[in-house]
Amino acid sequence: MFFKTFGWSFGITLAALVIAFLYGGPQALILCLILGILEISLSFDNAVVNARILERMNAFWQKMFLSVGIIIAVFGMRILFPLLIVGVTANLNPVEAIDLALQKGDPNTPGTYGYLLHEAHPQIAAFGGLFLLMLFLDFMFEDRDIKWIKFLEIPMAKIGKLDGASLVVGLVALVLAGSMSGEHQGIVLLSGLLGIITYLLVNGLGNLFDVDHDGDIDFDDAATTVHAGPSAPAKLAGKAAFMLFLYLEVIDASFSFDGVIGAFAITSDPIIIALGLGLIGAMFVRSLTVYLVRQGTLDEYEYLDHGAHWAIGALAVILLLTISVSINEVITGLIGVVFIVAAFTASILRNKKKAKAAEGTEPAELSTVAK
């Protein structure tokens, strides 16, 4: 299962490294590898969230995520998105933006591709930070049977009983981010507001088809579901799956902001960034997502959902902080990994306790039957 799922990722990684070496020698190869590792470390939480959504789709839409989705992730977010930002910021047409990108240039030199993208960081961070913060808040404000960090999640679930709690907290965070953004205040407030609006719109796509964040599906509409067998849960198909696919792509794209911006701290070469972030990073994230779905890992390790969303919350806060202060990308990546590893470890301990408890009840049940 492991090699079947990750085989393409390893093959594409090898091809990307060879291309990087042929393009720029050993230095380009090393930079490409560093960017790939950076993207993977930043995206563990992305894979968990993607997997929870993807497991609700049928086989066709899961394949769409691996085909069309990877095109969007690689060419859309890792190549076209930076070009679009630079084009809008510098008032350049697409050809001029591509020409400027291929010139590389020092990100610290005004007028270069990397410099212009860095200058656009406040609005990118505001949009992505508020979008991810809303995703985190909606998860934590829901009262769930399973809680991981109980001393925080229990009071947050109580706050969530208030109507519009996520929106209120999100708007407060936006005001705070805007107040610390200095000369960028106007664009930060506008971008953050657009991030909130975008989240509310894409989140509404799921509600449109009665699909909530826990994966509950309204099975009264048979046209939107496919039954995989007597013991397997029904999978979304048709319009419902398409809407959920769009929702998944928007969420997946929002996770790319930190990686794209962080990449320019390592290199301003768009070819190396596309190879490292796009081909290596994006492919491994998708393979990891599919692996989690096929192995049923999220159901087996029950705290992984919580760990992923805490990592999302941390990433959202970091993105908002980077509007006014500089934070190393390594810190961003490590925080996400720490939350995922901690949640995975806690899930293993929980499973062991449940197994011991089950073993402890067996003798009593047998003695009762004997009587």
Side-chain angles (χ1 to χ4, degrees):
M1 173 64 73
F2 180 85
F3 289 105
K4 182 179 179 181
T5 305
F6 287 91
W8 275 103
S9 295
F10 283 113
I12 289 176
T13 296
L14 180 60
L17 294 176
V18 170
I19 293 172
F21 180 79
L22 295 175
Y23 171 74
Q27 182 180 2
L29 185 148
I30 293 172
L31 290 174
C32 181
L33 184 61
I34 290 173
L35 288 174
I37 294 172
L38 172 68
E39 180 73 358
I40 295 168
S41 67
L42 288 171
S43 302
F44 276 105
D45 49 353
N46 187 4
V48 174
V49 173
N50 285 354
R52 184 56 81 187
I53 299 172
L54 194 66
E55 67 183 4
R56 297 183 241 165
M57 299 180 184
N58 65 8
F60 170 79
W61 285 102
Q62 289 182 3
K63 290 178 180 177
M64 288 290 288
F65 176 71
L66 289 175
S67 54
V68 176
I70 195 66
I71 295 173
I72 295 172
V74 175
F75 294 99
M77 287 307 300
R78 273 73 174 187
I79 298 177
L80 295 182
F81 172 71
L83 288 171
L84 176 63
I85 292 297
V86 169
V88 172
T89 303
N91 194 26
L92 301 174
N93 62 45
V95 175
E96 291 172 333
I98 293 172
D99 181 61
L100 185 64
L102 293 176
Q103 292 177 18
K104 305 172 188 178
D106 186 350
N108 296 316
T109 303
T112 63
Y113 181 72
Y115 180 86
L116 291 173
L117 190 61
H118 182 268
E119 286 295 295
H121 175 73
Q123 51 262 50
I124 297 172
F127 182 94
L130 265 300
F131 184 97
L132 293 176
L133 182 64
M134 293 294 293
L135 179 63
F136 164 75
L137 291 173
D138 267 359
F139 182 88
M140 291 300 168
F141 281 170
E142 187 170 337
D143 192 8
R144 302 173 183 278
D145 294 333
I146 298 175
K147 294 179 176 64
W148 179 34
I149 307 177
K150 292 184 179 180
F151 75 95
L152 291 175
E153 293 180 11
I154 290 176
M156 290 183 76
K158 292 180 179 179
I159 294 173
K161 293 179 180 179
L162 299 172
D163 290 337
S166 298
L167 181 58
V168 171
V169 175
L171 290 173
V172 170
L174 174 59
V175 171
L176 291 175
S179 66
M180 296 187 297
S181 58
E183 61 182 11
H184 301 291
Q185 187 175 52
I187 192 66
V188 165
L189 290 174
L190 176 60
S191 300
L193 185 60
L194 288 174
I196 293 175
I197 292 172
T198 301
Y199 174 80
L200 294 176
L201 287 175
V202 298
N203 189 50
L205 293 177
N207 295 333
L208 183 64
F209 288 92
D210 296 319
V211 183
D212 66 25
H213 294 291
D214 290 325
D216 297 327
I217 304 171
D218 182 3
F219 294 118
D220 292 335
D221 185 2
T224 66
T225 61
V226 175
H227 291 268
S231 61
K235 304 292 185 180
L236 286 173
K239 292 181 180 178
F242 174 70
M243 290 297 182
L244 201 59
F245 174 77
L246 294 180
Y247 175 67
L248 175 59
E249 287 303 319
V250 174
I251 288 180
D252 185 57
S254 69
F255 279 97
S256 304
F257 293 142
D258 57 329
V260 170
I261 298 301
F264 282 88
I266 298 172
T267 178
S268 58
D269 191 323
I271 303 299
I272 300 300
I273 291 174
L275 291 172
L277 292 189
L279 292 184
I280 297 177
M283 275 302 300
F284 264 102
V285 171
R286 268 153 178 69
S287 293
L288 181 58
T289 299
V290 172
Y291 184 80
L292 292 175
V293 172
R294 292 176 178 173
Q295 292 292 101
T297 305
L298 296 183
D299 292 326
E300 183 179 355
Y301 302 98
E302 296 174 324
Y303 291 142
L304 275 181
D305 262 346
H306 296 258
H309 282 85
W310 277 110
I312 290 169
L315 175 58
V317 171
I318 288 173
L319 278 173
L320 295 176
L321 288 176
T322 56
I323 295 173
S324 54
V325 298
S326 178
I327 299 177
N328 193 293
E329 289 74 22
V330 174
I331 296 175
T332 307
L334 286 178
I335 287 178
V337 172
V338 167
F339 272 116
I340 295 298
V341 170
F344 181 72
T345 304
S347 298
I348 292 175
L349 295 176
R350 173 184 170 85
N351 289 343
K352 288 182 177 179
K353 288 182 180 179
K354 290 170 66 176
K356 287 183 179 179
E359 290 175 0
T361 58
E362 284 181 5
E365 292 173 354
L366 290 174
S367 61
T368 301
V369 171
K371 289 179 181 179

